[in-house]
């Protein structure tokens, strides 16, 4: 978990809960599931979940006889909290962290439906001369596993990317006109 969420929300457990529940905002979780995913004790989580539900941050439901929790889409600050979670511990935060440990990445950005709020697959374009493809596969596989969703990525070497842009490649032109979430480098 990023220290920033811990500091913003005042506790380690609350930061972890916000990160998970607001990056997977359409899922209901039992406290026992959250304990396993976050590596925390169920009793500590239950107290924090009750506080957050009481404040309206979380919505409650039922799975059989067991109470479930999820991010409350009706909470007045839901969009802001979800955006904060996405940029720190969500897909963007995880990709930023993963790509920082890989040599040769010049730029990388998420594009496609995910950038417009779709909870489906995540599409990533990496630009640079990445020499260690096995390491890239390992890093992206780790992100995919942590997110619990499919991560599709394309890698273009710098020269290849510049050539495709110069030729006005239809795919790249569509991507570059889309909403982008930068996770490495900057938009040029």
């Amino acid at each position: 978990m990023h220290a920033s969420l811990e500091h913003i929300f005042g506790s380690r457990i609350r930061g972890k809960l916000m990160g998970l529940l607001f990056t997977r905002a359409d899922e209901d979780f039992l406290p026992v599931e959250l304990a396993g995913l976050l590596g925390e004790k169920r009793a500590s989580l239950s107290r924090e979940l009750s506080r957050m539900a009481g404040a309206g941050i979380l919505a409650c439901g039922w799975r059989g006889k067991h109470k479930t929790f999820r991010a409350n889409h009706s909470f007045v600050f839901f969009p802001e909290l979800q955006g904060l979670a996405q940029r720190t511990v969500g897909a963007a935060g995880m990709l930023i962290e993963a790509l920082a440990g890989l040599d040769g990445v010049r730029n990388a950005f998420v594009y496609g439906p995910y950038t417009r709020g779709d909870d489906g697959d995540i599409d990533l374009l990496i630009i640079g001369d990445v020499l260690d493809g096995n390491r890239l596969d390992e890093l992206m596989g780790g992100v995919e596993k942590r997110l619990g969703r499919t991560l599709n990525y394309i890698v273009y070497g710098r020269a290849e990317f510049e050539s495709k842009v110069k030729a006005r490649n239809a795919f790249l032109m569509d991507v570059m006109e889309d909403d982008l979430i930068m996770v490495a480098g900057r938009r040029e």
Side-chain angles (χ1 to χ4, degrees), residues 106-107 109 127 158 161-162 176 180 182 185-188:
R106 178 177 162 195
N107 303 86
F109 46 85
I127 303 162
R158 289 177 66 175
F161 176 76
E162 290 167 7
M176 299 307 278
L180 303 177
M182 297 302 299
R186 59 184 171 79
R187 189 171 186 164
E188 296 178 11

Side-chain angles (χ1 to χ4, degrees), residues 5 20 30 34 45 56 58 87 116 120 122 132-133 142 155 173:
L5 280 184
L20 177 66
L30 296 167
L34 291 167
L45 284 175
L58 301 180
R87 286 187 298 278
R116 296 181 295 277
I122 298 171
D132 192 348
V155 180
M173 293 301 104

Side-chain angles (χ1 to χ4, degrees), residues 99-115:
L99 292 170
L102 189 66
D103 291 332
V105 176
R106 178 177 162 195
N107 303 86
F109 46 85
V110 177
Y111 65 93
Y114 179 81
T115 65

Side-chain angles (χ1 to χ4, degrees), residues 150-186:
T150 302
L151 175 62
N152 307 304
Y153 61 94
I154 299 170
V155 180
Y156 288 131
R158 289 177 66 175
E160 179 183 14
F161 176 76
E162 290 167 7
S163 172
K164 287 181 180 289
V165 168
K166 188 174 181 178
R168 304 207 41 85
N169 175 277
F171 167 72
L172 279 180
M173 293 301 104
D174 286 345
V175 167
M176 299 307 278
E177 290 175 11
D178 202 355
D179 294 327
L180 303 177
I181 300 172
M182 297 302 299
V183 293
R186 59 184 171 79

